[in-house]
Amino acid sequence: MTHAFSFPSAKRVSLSGTGALAALLLATLCLPTHAAHANAAEDGTPGSTPVERGQYLTRASDCEVCHTAPGGMPYAGGRAFKLPGMGVVYSTNITADKQHGVGTWSDEEFVAAVKQGVSPGGKHLYPAMPYPAYSRLSDQDVRDIRAYLATLPTSASAAPENKLRFPFSIRSLMIFWNIVNGPASAYPDDTTKSDQWNRGRWLVEGAGHCADCHSPRTLTFGLSTSKAFGGNMLNGWRIYNISSDRKTGIGGWTDAELAQYLSTGHADGHGTASGDMADVIGHSLRYLTPADIQAMVTYLRSTKPVSTPQDAVTFRNVASGDASLPQNSRGARLYASACAGCHLPDGTGRQSSFASIAGGRSLGADNGRNLIQVLVNGSGLQTATGVQIMPHFTGGGLSNRDLADIAAFVMTHFTTAQPHDLEKQVEQIKKDQD
Amino acid sequence: MSTHSPSSTTRLKTSRRRVLQAGGALLLATLWPTARGRAAQASQAGTGVLVEDVATPFAPNAFIRIAADNTITLILPNIEMGQGIYTSSVMLMAEELGIDPFAVQIEAAPPGGGAEITGGSTSIMTEWLPLRQAGAAARTMLVQAAASHWGVAPESCTTANGAVVHTPTGRTVPFGDVAEAAAKLPVPKEPKLKDAANYTLIGRKHHRLDSQIKVDGTARFGMDVQVPGMKIGTVAACPVQGGTVRSMNRNAALAINGVHAVLVTDNKDTVCVVAEHYWAARKSLKALHIQWDFGKNAAITTQTIYDDLHAGLNGPAIVANAKADAPGVIGKSGTTYTATYQQPLLAHSPMEPINCTAHVRPDGCDVWAGTQVAERARDTAAEITDLPASKITVHSQYIGGGFGRRLEHEYVTQCVQFAKQVPYPLKIIWSREEDITKDRYRPAYVDKLTAALDDKGYITALQHRIVGPAVVARWDPPELTKDGYDEDLSLATVVTPYTYPAYRLEFARREAPGITTAWWRGVGGTRGLFVVEGFIDELAARAGADPVAYRRAMVQNNPRALAVLERVAADAGWGTPVPKGRARGVALQFAFGSYMASIAEIEMPSPDEVIIHRVTAAVDCGQVINPDQVIAQIEGGLIFGFSAALYNEITLENGRVQQQNFNTWRVMRMNEAPRRIDVVVMPSKEDPGGIGEVGTAAAAPLLANAMAAAQGRRYRSLPLLSARNTEGKE
Amino acid sequence: MPTLMINGQPHSVDVDADTPLLWVLRDILGLNAAKFGCGIAQCGACTVYVDGKAVRACNLPVGLVGERAITTPEGLDMADPIVRAIKSAWVELDVVQCGYCQPGQVMAAVALLRTTPNPTDEQIDSAMSGNMCRCGTYMRIRAAIHHAAGELA
């Protein structure tokens, strides 16, 4: 298996507009590329040795999530990414194994792969590996990442072969894509902005590659700049609007709430991260320094507001106390038996705040899409006190209708949302799983 | 399966035969095992707390110990797992002995010292006579000793509250004071039993002896065993049965705080991590990242199993029971009716996950476990340790739910295999995921019934084929008949309240690959009743008859069946208008030596939602020991059965069980349980029948028949809410 | 690791912060009344109180407990009229069967009566449906809670 493909921090990424992508790739000829150069915003990276810096950068860049198969050895690759209409690709083994990993690569080859999306032998990576964002990293940053990876246990297992349909199987197509959509480059600090803002921009736009999930894609599968951070759909999940819009983005959150969310996965009054965001928090953001978290908050505050009405949720005041759940509908009864043990009748979380769903957008947004995703797929958030598990409720005694009823109860109990066709949504999400 | 003593097998076998003989008068020979070697001191214990090895001067038989300080210890042959048997067993002895059941301390009989296999609803049937005889023998001896001391006639003495009373003078002497003298007297071979008219305990409601300790949380279950120096392990067996460990990351596992060892069974199918506490062991087990070679069962799916069962409806079968020429009658009949039923694999999932503690030493081995088969637990430990059975001590604990799961002892085998590898006592706790995915499952079955009908729609001949495993072939091989039949399958099929002019039961054996099948609450009764009572209900509907009236006509010559049916119909208001939106269903049964008729009143707001408003039952289980506990068993048994009937089906994909924990193995909750269950216990002088499985057996057919009434469609496949019932598939 | 306050007594334990409280109680301190049933807060057998609130100990990392007061079933005070009424009702109505889930049921029921002295069936269902019982003692649990509430009235 040769080095082939990596992805942003999504379990399975759906690439949309792929036909248009192919057409444009072939039609586009020549546009200027950017040159990389040093960036003062990188100075915030802690660590006194290359390995220490490398560990921090590896985490800030969230390499582990995509380069680890479910339940597999970290960084050994093998995580499957289903691309509707294109096929299946697998993340690669980036341990230092000489045969199956990157053990024999030169530093220059490694830097080229991470920043330019070109692996040894001139193989072009597919752009789900966020090399356009990673191009904001300095060469030294990437060498440090490599130095850190080299200290980890190696895996002598190869990731499975990609199964891509023509013409997507032609790697050189990516040359054209790169001309349109990247890779970008390290950009100079904006001297009109604070160091904190510049550091935040580097973390959000560069290492953290937040836009890879949180910005909608253009027709050529590039990241939209006009609607940057306005949210997206990825593999059946609603990726929420994190622009500074007050109603539908994160403009209404306090700095403290944003910082709490980014560093722990939970913010009081906003619920707890689930799905892919839980992975991002658990393997990446929770390791960032408080200063870096503040920098991200500062930068995110400065983004252009983008309004996405489907993310708007109006919450109700809910009674508290174990005896307070109505028992007059199937959804309410199921909530009392299967959900309240962790979430409490008022959603504030029984065992810990990680179980708090109160104020979470998922309770009402987008006709319950993410709520149902969590019911169907479950979620796990790595925290300083272990993995906080939300079990899935698929494959046993709960029918699609049962799950839809739970979702309907949650949506109408906690928010003013008016759910519709939830059972169909459950069916669809289960179907997408297979 | 490892060896076990023939005596315990014989006892269960005999019990089952009694059931099959419709509760006939076959009585067991009362063989009292010799008293076992006793340890030095009696434990101090509150009511219900299990003590061990009580040494006393007076030990007239295996079941009764009386010390000089008047401490009375009763040794109980069947294990308590919720069914209330400790209370009933004590009541039987206390009735004859003349003591307050709350004033005794209790001990679980050791293997070889009177322990019975606890299962098949047989406990009361097997204990009814011997325990009363044990009490009567002890009473006779104590009275004799006191009478001699006083110089009065034994006939002038009685017993009460743990003392002998000289009736004419009112003098009393505590049992303890005459215990030593009584011990020197011969044990009467046929002690005189109390006349039923004089019972003060039997037949009256008595509080459970284990209530307080279970409410306080001081009752000790296997899970709660603590032994000095003990360490705690948790296990992972290969997710596909028959697979073995290929590789694992031992170093990562041993790096977890508090972890001591990573152990593997000789055949490499199971890994155990040993640690200071369960959580460290569990974390370590995950860190092992075990890679398995899955072996030959890796392709099995549930459909493989169902397809094989349906295929068994055609082709050869054993004729298990025949009366007249049923095929001939059916062949010539102008009117026949056929239906096929399907039932799934089921897990037991008792609240207490599987666990066992063992300490293996060069000179002996102790096993602490909740087990329905203490003798088998002892024998498997002996086999694995190469120690004689006499060097194995099994300490029976309270069982946090049996339901048949603890009729298996493979977890004892597993625990001793691992404990043998370490010098300290080892408690093994299965995660709930392990408990569900490595259960031994109630088998899946397919049944086909064809009836020839007369012009009023009643059966003139019935032919019934069962396709499925013979559980007894593995569990107790000598019990498989020479033809290859498992007599458990006769429950609720051959043994019913009904008689047919012509009958034929066929059995096509199909063992499910890739899993192990086992007993489950209600055994053949639960299995058979769903099929037969569903079929009878279909025939009633076909005949345009009222379901109660149709059954009434069929049991005219069976007064006990008729009586429970009439009683439940009256109590449930059968025949009165059903409240709007609701429907009623009925089931009638004879199993485990007991009769029951039950009626459910349900509501189905939509085709996939069932609300159970009320269940009414009339039960005749012969002579009742503790009527309130009979009611409790019916209530709980029904709910246990409803839970499975509505929700449960174990499925396999790639040889793995897919249900893992209570998120995917749904259990009925309080807000889904019936709003009301009314049970009437019929007065009866017949020998006691079993009761622990009666309610569970009724649950599925009762609901299926009520749902059929509500929806005008038959429910022939379990679980009842499965799409198979609405897609028209069978 | 802060010192845990359990049933009014301080306990110092040396375990990883992710260890669920249940295993500290059971395997380290020998407090066995709270039971292990599922490990995912689906069954309620492990119910204890943290600052008086009923929580599932199997799913509460000990690192999140801090110095809050923990009450296990062993710590229920019989001098408390609600505790006494619930336990007496359980015995009077012979609620228990196998008994494994019952300490958790009792904890949940006591917590219910503290906030809702005279609960309706619906309120009992709301509060108790997270506590599973395989023996099916639900009918008697419901009745016993009503009985206890009546005794306290």
PDB file of all heavy atoms in Angstrom, chain B residues 207 214 223-224 257 278 283 348 432 635 668 675, chain C residues 16 26-27 35 37 87 94 97 125 134 138 140:
ATOM      1  N   HIS B 207     -44.135 -13.335  55.302  1.00  0.00           N
ATOM      2  CA  HIS B 207     -43.134 -12.431  54.738  1.00  0.00           C
ATOM      3  C   HIS B 207     -41.880 -13.197  54.367  1.00  0.00           C
ATOM      4  O   HIS B 207     -41.491 -14.141  55.039  1.00  0.00           O
ATOM      5  CB  HIS B 207     -42.776 -11.324  55.739  1.00  0.00           C
ATOM      6  CG  HIS B 207     -43.843 -10.296  55.876  1.00  0.00           C
ATOM      7  ND1 HIS B 207     -44.348  -9.616  54.791  1.00  0.00           N
ATOM      8  CD2 HIS B 207     -44.502  -9.827  56.964  1.00  0.00           C
ATOM      9  CE1 HIS B 207     -45.285  -8.767  55.217  1.00  0.00           C
ATOM     10  NE2 HIS B 207     -45.397  -8.888  56.520  1.00  0.00           N
ATOM     11  N   LYS B 214     -32.156  -7.683  51.742  1.00  0.00           N
ATOM     12  CA  LYS B 214     -32.114  -7.247  50.345  1.00  0.00           C
ATOM     13  C   LYS B 214     -32.504  -5.779  50.210  1.00  0.00           C
ATOM     14  O   LYS B 214     -32.064  -5.094  49.295  1.00  0.00           O
ATOM     15  CB  LYS B 214     -33.006  -8.142  49.479  1.00  0.00           C
ATOM     16  CG  LYS B 214     -32.386  -9.527  49.259  1.00  0.00           C
ATOM     17  CD  LYS B 214     -33.251 -10.472  48.443  1.00  0.00           C
ATOM     18  CE  LYS B 214     -32.493 -11.749  48.123  1.00  0.00           C
ATOM     19  NZ  LYS B 214     -33.331 -12.716  47.373  1.00  0.00           N
ATOM     20  N   MET B 223     -21.509 -11.528  43.339  1.00  0.00           N
ATOM     21  CA  MET B 223     -20.804 -10.300  42.959  1.00  0.00           C
ATOM     22  C   MET B 223     -20.168  -9.612  44.162  1.00  0.00           C
ATOM     23  O   MET B 223     -19.207  -8.860  44.022  1.00  0.00           O
ATOM     24  CB  MET B 223     -21.804  -9.356  42.288  1.00  0.00           C
ATOM     25  CG  MET B 223     -21.208  -8.119  41.676  1.00  0.00           C
ATOM     26  SD  MET B 223     -20.121  -8.469  40.292  1.00  0.00           S
ATOM     27  CE  MET B 223     -21.296  -8.548  38.937  1.00  0.00           C
ATOM     28  N   ASP B 224     -20.720  -9.861  45.364  1.00  0.00           N
ATOM     29  CA  ASP B 224     -20.275  -9.140  46.556  1.00  0.00           C
ATOM     30  C   ASP B 224     -19.224  -9.892  47.363  1.00  0.00           C
ATOM     31  O   ASP B 224     -18.789  -9.410  48.416  1.00  0.00           O
ATOM     32  CB  ASP B 224     -21.486  -8.860  47.467  1.00  0.00           C
ATOM     33  CG  ASP B 224     -22.590  -8.114  46.742  1.00  0.00           C
ATOM     34  OD1 ASP B 224     -22.269  -7.320  45.840  1.00  0.00           O
ATOM     35  OD2 ASP B 224     -23.773  -8.338  47.071  1.00  0.00           O
ATOM     36  N   ASN B 257      -2.481   1.287  35.605  1.00  0.00           N
ATOM     37  CA  ASN B 257      -2.331   1.253  37.070  1.00  0.00           C
ATOM     38  C   ASN B 257      -3.151   0.134  37.696  1.00  0.00           C
ATOM     39  O   ASN B 257      -4.335   0.007  37.411  1.00  0.00           O
ATOM     40  CB  ASN B 257      -2.828   2.571  37.684  1.00  0.00           C
ATOM     41  CG  ASN B 257      -1.778   3.639  37.592  1.00  0.00           C
ATOM     42  OD1 ASN B 257      -0.596   3.336  37.379  1.00  0.00           O
ATOM     43  ND2 ASN B 257      -2.203   4.884  37.726  1.00  0.00           N
ATOM     44  N   TYR B 278     -12.082  -3.797  39.441  1.00  0.00           N
ATOM     45  CA  TYR B 278     -12.687  -4.107  38.140  1.00  0.00           C
ATOM     46  C   TYR B 278     -12.333  -3.076  37.087  1.00  0.00           C
ATOM     47  O   TYR B 278     -12.075  -3.413  35.940  1.00  0.00           O
ATOM     48  CB  TYR B 278     -14.208  -4.205  38.299  1.00  0.00           C
ATOM     49  CG  TYR B 278     -14.946  -4.355  36.982  1.00  0.00           C
ATOM     50  CD1 TYR B 278     -15.062  -5.604  36.378  1.00  0.00           C
ATOM     51  CD2 TYR B 278     -15.521  -3.258  36.346  1.00  0.00           C
ATOM     52  CE1 TYR B 278     -15.733  -5.747  35.170  1.00  0.00           C
ATOM     53  CE2 TYR B 278     -16.185  -3.397  35.138  1.00  0.00           C
ATOM     54  CZ  TYR B 278     -16.294  -4.642  34.552  1.00  0.00           C
ATOM     55  OH  TYR B 278     -16.948  -4.781  33.357  1.00  0.00           O
ATOM     56  N   LYS B 283     -10.208  -1.491  31.860  1.00  0.00           N
ATOM     57  CA  LYS B 283      -9.397  -0.590  31.035  1.00  0.00           C
ATOM     58  C   LYS B 283      -8.257  -1.355  30.382  1.00  0.00           C
ATOM     59  O   LYS B 283      -7.937  -1.167  29.203  1.00  0.00           O
ATOM     60  CB  LYS B 283      -8.817   0.519  31.922  1.00  0.00           C
ATOM     61  CG  LYS B 283      -9.401   1.849  31.625  1.00  0.00           C
ATOM     62  CD  LYS B 283      -8.820   3.080  32.281  1.00  0.00           C
ATOM     63  CE  LYS B 283      -7.648   3.066  33.172  1.00  0.00           C
ATOM     64  NZ  LYS B 283      -7.304   4.406  33.690  1.00  0.00           N
ATOM     65  N   HIS B 348     -30.519 -14.299  28.809  1.00  0.00           N
ATOM     66  CA  HIS B 348     -31.138 -14.300  30.141  1.00  0.00           C
ATOM     67  C   HIS B 348     -31.026 -12.926  30.808  1.00  0.00           C
ATOM     68  O   HIS B 348     -31.955 -12.465  31.439  1.00  0.00           O
ATOM     69  CB  HIS B 348     -30.452 -15.318  31.048  1.00  0.00           C
ATOM     70  CG  HIS B 348     -30.527 -16.726  30.549  1.00  0.00           C
ATOM     71  ND1 HIS B 348     -29.665 -17.223  29.603  1.00  0.00           N
ATOM     72  CD2 HIS B 348     -31.349 -17.746  30.868  1.00  0.00           C
ATOM     73  CE1 HIS B 348     -29.968 -18.491  29.360  1.00  0.00           C
ATOM     74  NE2 HIS B 348     -30.989 -18.832  30.106  1.00  0.00           N
ATOM     75  N   ARG B 432     -21.344  -6.379  31.420  1.00  0.00           N
ATOM     76  CA  ARG B 432     -22.685  -6.676  30.888  1.00  0.00           C
ATOM     77  C   ARG B 432     -22.586  -7.070  29.419  1.00  0.00           C
ATOM     78  O   ARG B 432     -23.326  -7.941  28.951  1.00  0.00           O
ATOM     79  CB  ARG B 432     -23.605  -5.462  31.066  1.00  0.00           C
ATOM     80  CG  ARG B 432     -24.975  -5.621  30.424  1.00  0.00           C
ATOM     81  CD  ARG B 432     -25.757  -6.813  30.967  1.00  0.00           C
ATOM     82  NE  ARG B 432     -26.126  -6.620  32.354  1.00  0.00           N
ATOM     83  CZ  ARG B 432     -26.682  -7.578  33.105  1.00  0.00           C
ATOM     84  NH1 ARG B 432     -26.936  -8.773  32.599  1.00  0.00           N
ATOM     85  NH2 ARG B 432     -26.959  -7.337  34.365  1.00  0.00           N
ATOM     86  N   GLU B 635     -46.802 -12.397  38.967  1.00  0.00           N
ATOM     87  CA  GLU B 635     -46.603 -10.999  38.550  1.00  0.00           C
ATOM     88  C   GLU B 635     -45.273 -10.843  37.835  1.00  0.00           C
ATOM     89  O   GLU B 635     -45.182 -10.332  36.717  1.00  0.00           O
ATOM     90  CB  GLU B 635     -46.599 -10.070  39.779  1.00  0.00           C
ATOM     91  CG  GLU B 635     -47.932  -9.900  40.471  1.00  0.00           C
ATOM     92  CD  GLU B 635     -47.794  -9.186  41.828  1.00  0.00           C
ATOM     93  OE1 GLU B 635     -46.658  -8.952  42.298  1.00  0.00           O
ATOM     94  OE2 GLU B 635     -48.830  -8.879  42.426  1.00  0.00           O
ATOM     95  N   MET B 668     -38.290  -4.531  29.864  1.00  0.00           N
ATOM     96  CA  MET B 668     -39.499  -3.793  30.224  1.00  0.00           C
ATOM     97  C   MET B 668     -39.254  -2.973  31.486  1.00  0.00           C
ATOM     98  O   MET B 668     -38.677  -3.464  32.454  1.00  0.00           O
ATOM     99  CB  MET B 668     -40.656  -4.765  30.426  1.00  0.00           C
ATOM    100  CG  MET B 668     -41.967  -4.088  30.794  1.00  0.00           C
ATOM    101  SD  MET B 668     -43.374  -5.228  30.743  1.00  0.00           S
ATOM    102  CE  MET B 668     -43.896  -5.036  29.046  1.00  0.00           C
ATOM    103  N   ARG B 675     -50.571  -1.860  34.199  1.00  0.00           N
ATOM    104  CA  ARG B 675     -51.008  -0.990  35.295  1.00  0.00           C
ATOM    105  C   ARG B 675     -51.513  -1.835  36.459  1.00  0.00           C
ATOM    106  O   ARG B 675     -51.473  -1.425  37.603  1.00  0.00           O
ATOM    107  CB  ARG B 675     -52.153  -0.055  34.824  1.00  0.00           C
ATOM    108  CG  ARG B 675     -51.877   0.748  33.590  1.00  0.00           C
ATOM    109  CD  ARG B 675     -50.546   1.442  33.610  1.00  0.00           C
ATOM    110  NE  ARG B 675     -50.351   2.354  34.744  1.00  0.00           N
ATOM    111  CZ  ARG B 675     -49.205   2.973  35.006  1.00  0.00           C
ATOM    112  NH1 ARG B 675     -48.140   2.753  34.258  1.00  0.00           N
ATOM    113  NH2 ARG B 675     -49.110   3.792  36.025  1.00  0.00           N
TER     114      ARG B 675
ATOM    115  N   ASP C  16      -6.992   5.952  39.378  1.00  0.00           N
ATOM    116  CA  ASP C  16      -7.040   6.895  38.269  1.00  0.00           C
ATOM    117  C   ASP C  16      -8.348   7.690  38.332  1.00  0.00           C
ATOM    118  O   ASP C  16      -9.381   7.164  38.753  1.00  0.00           O
ATOM    119  CB  ASP C  16      -6.976   6.155  36.925  1.00  0.00           C
ATOM    120  CG  ASP C  16      -5.605   5.528  36.696  1.00  0.00           C
ATOM    121  OD1 ASP C  16      -4.682   5.823  37.492  1.00  0.00           O
ATOM    122  OD2 ASP C  16      -5.468   4.751  35.741  1.00  0.00           O
ATOM    123  N   ARG C  26     -17.127  -0.402  45.709  1.00  0.00           N
ATOM    124  CA  ARG C  26     -17.250  -1.861  45.821  1.00  0.00           C
ATOM    125  C   ARG C  26     -15.900  -2.546  46.021  1.00  0.00           C
ATOM    126  O   ARG C  26     -15.733  -3.342  46.940  1.00  0.00           O
ATOM    127  CB  ARG C  26     -17.923  -2.437  44.567  1.00  0.00           C
ATOM    128  CG  ARG C  26     -19.390  -2.051  44.404  1.00  0.00           C
ATOM    129  CD  ARG C  26     -19.991  -2.770  43.200  1.00  0.00           C
ATOM    130  NE  ARG C  26     -19.827  -4.198  43.314  1.00  0.00           N
ATOM    131  CZ  ARG C  26     -20.636  -4.988  43.994  1.00  0.00           C
ATOM    132  NH1 ARG C  26     -21.690  -4.488  44.574  1.00  0.00           N
ATOM    133  NH2 ARG C  26     -20.388  -6.285  44.061  1.00  0.00           N
ATOM    134  N   ASP C  27     -14.975  -2.267  45.129  1.00  0.00           N
ATOM    135  CA  ASP C  27     -13.745  -3.064  45.102  1.00  0.00           C
ATOM    136  C   ASP C  27     -12.665  -2.519  46.022  1.00  0.00           C
ATOM    137  O   ASP C  27     -11.767  -3.256  46.421  1.00  0.00           O
ATOM    138  CB  ASP C  27     -13.195  -3.121  43.671  1.00  0.00           C
ATOM    139  CG  ASP C  27     -14.026  -4.038  42.781  1.00  0.00           C
ATOM    140  OD1 ASP C  27     -14.967  -4.666  43.309  1.00  0.00           O
ATOM    141  OD2 ASP C  27     -13.748  -4.119  41.577  1.00  0.00           O
ATOM    142  N   LYS C  35     -24.948  -1.863  43.396  1.00  0.00           N
ATOM    143  CA  LYS C  35     -24.606  -3.030  42.569  1.00  0.00           C
ATOM    144  C   LYS C  35     -24.149  -2.623  41.177  1.00  0.00           C
ATOM    145  O   LYS C  35     -24.566  -1.596  40.638  1.00  0.00           O
ATOM    146  CB  LYS C  35     -25.834  -3.942  42.415  1.00  0.00           C
ATOM    147  CG  LYS C  35     -26.430  -4.433  43.718  1.00  0.00           C
ATOM    148  CD  LYS C  35     -25.470  -5.267  44.530  1.00  0.00           C
ATOM    149  CE  LYS C  35     -26.152  -5.809  45.777  1.00  0.00           C
ATOM    150  NZ  LYS C  35     -25.178  -6.232  46.790  1.00  0.00           N
ATOM    151  N   GLY C  37     -24.641  -3.349  37.406  1.00  0.00           N
ATOM    152  CA  GLY C  37     -25.619  -4.004  36.544  1.00  0.00           C
ATOM    153  C   GLY C  37     -25.315  -3.854  35.069  1.00  0.00           C
ATOM    154  O   GLY C  37     -25.501  -4.779  34.296  1.00  0.00           O
ATOM    155  N   LYS C  87     -38.331   1.622  53.483  1.00  0.00           N
ATOM    156  CA  LYS C  87     -37.835   0.269  53.766  1.00  0.00           C
ATOM    157  C   LYS C  87     -38.920  -0.600  54.410  1.00  0.00           C
ATOM    158  O   LYS C  87     -39.050  -1.780  54.082  1.00  0.00           O
ATOM    159  CB  LYS C  87     -36.597   0.341  54.673  1.00  0.00           C
ATOM    160  CG  LYS C  87     -35.342   0.824  53.947  1.00  0.00           C
ATOM    161  CD  LYS C  87     -34.102   0.585  54.798  1.00  0.00           C
ATOM    162  CE  LYS C  87     -32.838   0.938  54.019  1.00  0.00           C
ATOM    163  NZ  LYS C  87     -31.625   0.612  54.796  1.00  0.00           N
ATOM    164  N   ASP C  94     -43.503  -7.173  50.711  1.00  0.00           N
ATOM    165  CA  ASP C  94     -42.649  -8.219  50.120  1.00  0.00           C
ATOM    166  C   ASP C  94     -42.317  -7.900  48.659  1.00  0.00           C
ATOM    167  O   ASP C  94     -42.601  -8.665  47.741  1.00  0.00           O
ATOM    168  CB  ASP C  94     -43.311  -9.596  50.228  1.00  0.00           C
ATOM    169  CG  ASP C  94     -43.137 -10.179  51.617  1.00  0.00           C
ATOM    170  OD1 ASP C  94     -41.993 -10.261  52.087  1.00  0.00           O
ATOM    171  OD2 ASP C  94     -44.161 -10.530  52.252  1.00  0.00           O
ATOM    172  N   GLN C  97     -37.560  -9.786  45.056  1.00  0.00           N
ATOM    173  CA  GLN C  97     -37.429 -11.187  44.631  1.00  0.00           C
ATOM    174  C   GLN C  97     -35.943 -11.524  44.704  1.00  0.00           C
ATOM    175  O   GLN C  97     -35.428 -11.772  45.787  1.00  0.00           O
ATOM    176  CB  GLN C  97     -38.066 -11.416  43.274  1.00  0.00           C
ATOM    177  CG  GLN C  97     -39.609 -11.324  43.377  1.00  0.00           C
ATOM    178  CD  GLN C  97     -40.350 -11.759  42.142  1.00  0.00           C
ATOM    179  OE1 GLN C  97     -39.860 -12.522  41.322  1.00  0.00           O
ATOM    180  NE2 GLN C  97     -41.574 -11.280  41.988  1.00  0.00           N
ATOM    181  N   ASP C 125     -43.732   6.542  37.909  1.00  0.00           N
ATOM    182  CA  ASP C 125     -43.176   6.018  36.658  1.00  0.00           C
ATOM    183  C   ASP C 125     -42.039   6.899  36.153  1.00  0.00           C
ATOM    184  O   ASP C 125     -41.001   6.410  35.702  1.00  0.00           O
ATOM    185  CB  ASP C 125     -44.267   5.931  35.582  1.00  0.00           C
ATOM    186  CG  ASP C 125     -45.130   4.690  35.734  1.00  0.00           C
ATOM    187  OD1 ASP C 125     -44.907   3.939  36.713  1.00  0.00           O
ATOM    188  OD2 ASP C 125     -46.018   4.476  34.889  1.00  0.00           O
ATOM    189  N   ARG C 134     -35.319  -7.186  36.612  1.00  0.00           N
ATOM    190  CA  ARG C 134     -35.585  -8.320  35.733  1.00  0.00           C
ATOM    191  C   ARG C 134     -36.627  -9.259  36.329  1.00  0.00           C
ATOM    192  O   ARG C 134     -37.305  -9.988  35.604  1.00  0.00           O
ATOM    193  CB  ARG C 134     -34.285  -9.095  35.446  1.00  0.00           C
ATOM    194  CG  ARG C 134     -33.406  -8.430  34.423  1.00  0.00           C
ATOM    195  CD  ARG C 134     -34.054  -8.413  33.050  1.00  0.00           C
ATOM    196  NE  ARG C 134     -33.761  -9.591  32.250  1.00  0.00           N
ATOM    197  CZ  ARG C 134     -34.523  -9.997  31.240  1.00  0.00           C
ATOM    198  NH1 ARG C 134     -35.638  -9.351  30.944  1.00  0.00           N
ATOM    199  NH2 ARG C 134     -34.180 -11.052  30.532  1.00  0.00           N
ATOM    200  N   TYR C 138     -42.100  -4.478  39.601  1.00  0.00           N
ATOM    201  CA  TYR C 138     -42.575  -3.097  39.430  1.00  0.00           C
ATOM    202  C   TYR C 138     -43.912  -2.822  40.111  1.00  0.00           C
ATOM    203  O   TYR C 138     -44.126  -1.744  40.667  1.00  0.00           O
ATOM    204  CB  TYR C 138     -42.714  -2.764  37.941  1.00  0.00           C
ATOM    205  CG  TYR C 138     -41.441  -2.877  37.144  1.00  0.00           C
ATOM    206  CD1 TYR C 138     -41.413  -3.581  35.938  1.00  0.00           C
ATOM    207  CD2 TYR C 138     -40.263  -2.271  37.570  1.00  0.00           C
ATOM    208  CE1 TYR C 138     -40.255  -3.674  35.185  1.00  0.00           C
ATOM    209  CE2 TYR C 138     -39.098  -2.361  36.821  1.00  0.00           C
ATOM    210  CZ  TYR C 138     -39.101  -3.063  35.624  1.00  0.00           C
ATOM    211  OH  TYR C 138     -37.958  -3.153  34.874  1.00  0.00           O
ATOM    212  N   ARG C 140     -45.196  -4.051  42.725  1.00  0.00           N
ATOM    213  CA  ARG C 140     -45.064  -3.906  44.180  1.00  0.00           C
ATOM    214  C   ARG C 140     -44.242  -2.678  44.552  1.00  0.00           C
ATOM    215  O   ARG C 140     -44.469  -2.087  45.606  1.00  0.00           O
ATOM    216  CB  ARG C 140     -44.482  -5.184  44.770  1.00  0.00           C
ATOM    217  CG  ARG C 140     -45.477  -6.333  44.669  1.00  0.00           C
ATOM    218  CD  ARG C 140     -44.962  -7.613  45.290  1.00  0.00           C
ATOM    219  NE  ARG C 140     -45.926  -8.682  45.026  1.00  0.00           N
ATOM    220  CZ  ARG C 140     -46.322  -9.569  45.927  1.00  0.00           C
ATOM    221  NH1 ARG C 140     -45.808  -9.565  47.141  1.00  0.00           N
ATOM    222  NH2 ARG C 140     -47.202 -10.479  45.601  1.00  0.00           N
TER     223      ARG C 140
END
